[in-house]
Every structure is written in structure tokens, then in C-alpha cells.
Amino acid sequence: PAWGRPAVTRPEPRACIVGWPAKHSRSPLIHGYWLKTLGLPGSYGVEEVAPGDMVGFLRTLQARGYVGCNVTVPHKETAYRTVEVLTDRARALQAVNTVWIERGVLHGDNTDIVGFLASLDAGAPGWDRKAAHAVVLGAGGASRAIVAGLLDRGVELVTVVNRTRDRAEALAESFGRRVQAVGWESVGQLLPPADLLVNTTSLGMKGQPPLDIDLDGLKESAVVTDIVYVPLETALLAQARSRGHQVVDGLGMLLHQAAAGFEHWFGRRPEVTPELRQVIVDDLAR
Ligand code: ATR
């Protein structure tokens, strides 16, 4: 430039999703949409990294030209053990799905909790004012994040129902007295007092068996939500909708957890808009 200082060209921030496999991920489409519509420099790609290579991958993340990454199956626990600075949420879940670098140091967060809560807030505003009792189907990693989020927002009692009862019991025990575990056979008795029903299992997902549950007995004011988003309208949500319940599909959680990561890497909080939802819905239909 004319005033004599050499122009400093900053490399464009690059982020990616790391998984094994990861090719089917919609995250590049989501982040690419935000980069384009916000007019920000940057890119978001895909890295398939085998389980044995994940620690090395994270330690060389910066050298590979990345400012951060999303972490998906099966690497969330490895990321939790590898990053140097953890948020409280990541520590509570012992799982990291979002990594960024600050002054050369790896930081890890888990944005599934805020993603789930933001999706519920958007799809069923005011849900938490009346949700005293929640029933959560499933006891895996997604369930753990959702239970933590529900407790954070004041739900008095969370009942976890899982095919493998031991897993539900271990999860309930790790949270304390506001979480209880029951066997799948008692789900019918749980429905009448429930204000919120959440499916966190993979049942109902394309290619998986259906979730076989009869919602008879669920009170009309109860909200029903599913984390499955392929298909968007699962049999559970279709049944709930036909009974007059407010329903929240699983795409919102994916989009809202992504928004939190985007802010870490690209410096702006993006919005989850109907237009973005439609872009992903169209892609899923392909
Ligand atoms: P995520 O991280 O998505 O939660 P996960 O840890 O593999 O994934 O958990 C999958 C959940 O779906 C578990 O609750 C699992 O039940 P088990 O603990 O009994 O395995 C549940 N799930 C998957 N397939 C199922 C099936 N066919 N019937 C009942 N539950 C199933």
C-alpha cells in the first residue's frame, strides 16, 4: 500500500468435520451455507480419520491449516481426552464435538446440549415452564447430553428408558436423584405424567427398525421430540402430530449445535433460518 506497510494476508480460516466415516455428514453444507450468506472468508471440509490416528490428527490440527473442527463418531471421547482446555459442558459429558485453537492451545466444547435446548426453544417456545417430568428414550451419548440440558433448565424428574437397562441405570446414577432409570416394558406407565418425550435412540432412522411405541395415555399438552432427522417426520412424530401434540424434529438440534461451533471458528453467531432448514431438507431428499 501507498503508506508503506506491507500488506498482511491472513490465511482464510478453515474448519472441518472429523469422523470415521464422515462423508455422509451434512455439516459442510450447513457451514458452507453460513459462510456464503454471511459473506465471510473461510471454508469447511471433511476429514476421515481412523480411530488410531485421531490423537495425532488433533495434535497437528493447526499445522494442517485448521482453526478447529467438529468431532463425530467414534472420536468424541478421544477428543475429550486430547484437548487441553475443556468447557464445563464437555467435562460433564466427557465428550467433545467442537474443537478450536486459541494461541496454539486446543480447546474443546460439547455443543449438543445447547443445540438440543435451542432447538426445543425454537420449536416449542415456553416448553420449560411446564416441563416437570421428561421421559428420555435411549441411554447413549446423545441421551447424556439431553438429560444434562433438561436438568440445567429445571426439569424436576427425568426418566431414562433403555433397551439395555444397565446402561440407563449407569446414566441415571451419574446424574443423581433427579434422574431415574426404568426398563422398556414400563414405558406405558410413564407416559401419563410426562410433559416431554424425547427419542434419542436410532430407532426410526432410515434403515433402522421403527420405534414401536403407543402414545395413548400421553396428555395432550406434552411435547414430543426426536433426534432422528432422516426421515424428518419419523413415525413417532407423525403419531404425536396426529394426536395433537406439539412436535420438534431432529434437524433443529443438528443446526443449532453447528451454529455454536461456527461462532468459535469464524467469529460470528449464524442464524438457523427456515431457508437453511430447506437447503438441508432438499439435500436429504436427494
Ligand atoms: P448416540 O451417541 O447417538 O446416543 P449410542 O451411544 O450408540 O449413540 O446409543 C444408541 C441408543 O439407541 C442406545 O440407547 C441404544 O440402546 P442400547 O443401549 O440398549 O444399545 C439405542 N438403540 C439402538 N438400536 C436399538 C434397537 N434396535 N432397539 C432398542 N434400542 C436401540
Side-chain angles (χ1 to χ4, degrees):
W3 56 90
R5 286 238 307 271
V8 181
T9 50
R10 266 173 178 263
E12 292 198 344
R14 288 174 62 216
C16 63
I17 178 147
V18 194
W20 182 257
K23 281 202 190 79
H24 59 276
S25 168
R26 261 62 187 205
S27 295
L29 192 57
I30 298 169
H31 292 285
Y33 175 89
W34 281 325
L35 286 167
K36 194 167 129 222
T37 53
L38 292 169
L40 294 174
S43 64
Y44 186 102
V46 177
E47 292 273 7
E48 296 210 312
V49 173
D53 299 334
M54 186 56 182
V55 173
F57 180 86
L58 285 174
R59 293 204 174 129
T60 55
L61 193 64
Q62 192 167 28
R64 291 165 191 267
Y66 287 117
V67 296
C69 62
N70 272 130
V71 178
T72 187
V73 178
H75 297 313
K76 292 185 187 185
E77 284 79 24
T78 306
Y80 164 76
R81 288 195 307 269
T82 308
V83 305
E84 290 138 288
V85 181
L86 292 162
T87 62
D88 290 346
R89 292 180 300 235
R91 200 172 296 115
L93 299 182
Q94 303 189 359
V96 161
N97 76 337
T98 304
V99 174
W100 72 101
I101 302 166
E102 269 177 44
R103 295 191 193 89
V105 176
L106 288 173
H107 286 57
D109 191 9
N110 192 306
T111 64
D112 284 338
I113 299 179
V114 289
F116 172 73
L117 292 175
S119 172
L120 214 45
D121 287 341
W127 68 271
D128 52 338
R129 283 198 297 277
K130 53 184 187 191
H133 184 190
V135 172
V136 174
L137 309 175
S143 171
R144 178 170 287 280
I146 284 165
V147 171
L150 294 175
L151 295 177
D152 269 5
R153 292 289 287 272
V155 172
E156 286 160 28
L157 178 66
V158 181
T159 305
V160 178
V161 188
N162 197 46
R163 171 181 62 178
T164 312
R165 173 95 181 242
D166 289 358
R167 234 180 146 193
E169 267 161 15
L171 192 146
E173 240 165 67
S174 72
F175 280 105
R177 54 169 189 82
R178 282 163 69 202
V179 183
Q180 66 177 8
V182 304
W184 200 267
E185 66 290 346
S186 3
V187 74
Q189 294 142 45
L190 289 171
L191 294 182
D195 303 300
L196 176 69
L197 175 67
V198 189
N199 175 43
T200 78
T201 73
S202 44
L203 294 173
M205 193 188 291
K206 192 175 157 192
Q208 299 288 318
L211 172 59
D212 187 18
I213 183 173
D214 184 349
L215 297 182
D216 244 3
L218 193 62
K219 57 192 176 210
E220 206 184 319
S221 62
V223 174
V224 179
T225 177
D226 203 327
I227 69 162
V228 171
Y229 59 88
V230 185
L232 212 50
E233 180 92 337
T234 59
L236 172 71
L237 295 189
Q239 188 189 161
R241 204 186 292 280
S242 75
R243 289 174 42 90
H245 297 286
Q246 204 167 15
V247 307
V248 180
D249 68 45
L251 185 52
M253 180 172 173
L254 175 74
L255 298 176
H256 284 280
Q257 67 78 28
F262 188 94
E263 192 175 8
H264 282 304
W265 309 312
F266 303 114
R268 287 264 298 276
R269 180 72 180 206
E271 264 185 80
V272 174
T273 58
E275 291 73 32
L276 170 60
R277 272 187 66 95
Q278 196 56 50
V279 167
I280 308 303
V281 169
D282 291 346
D283 188 69
L284 293 171
R286 242 178 257 151

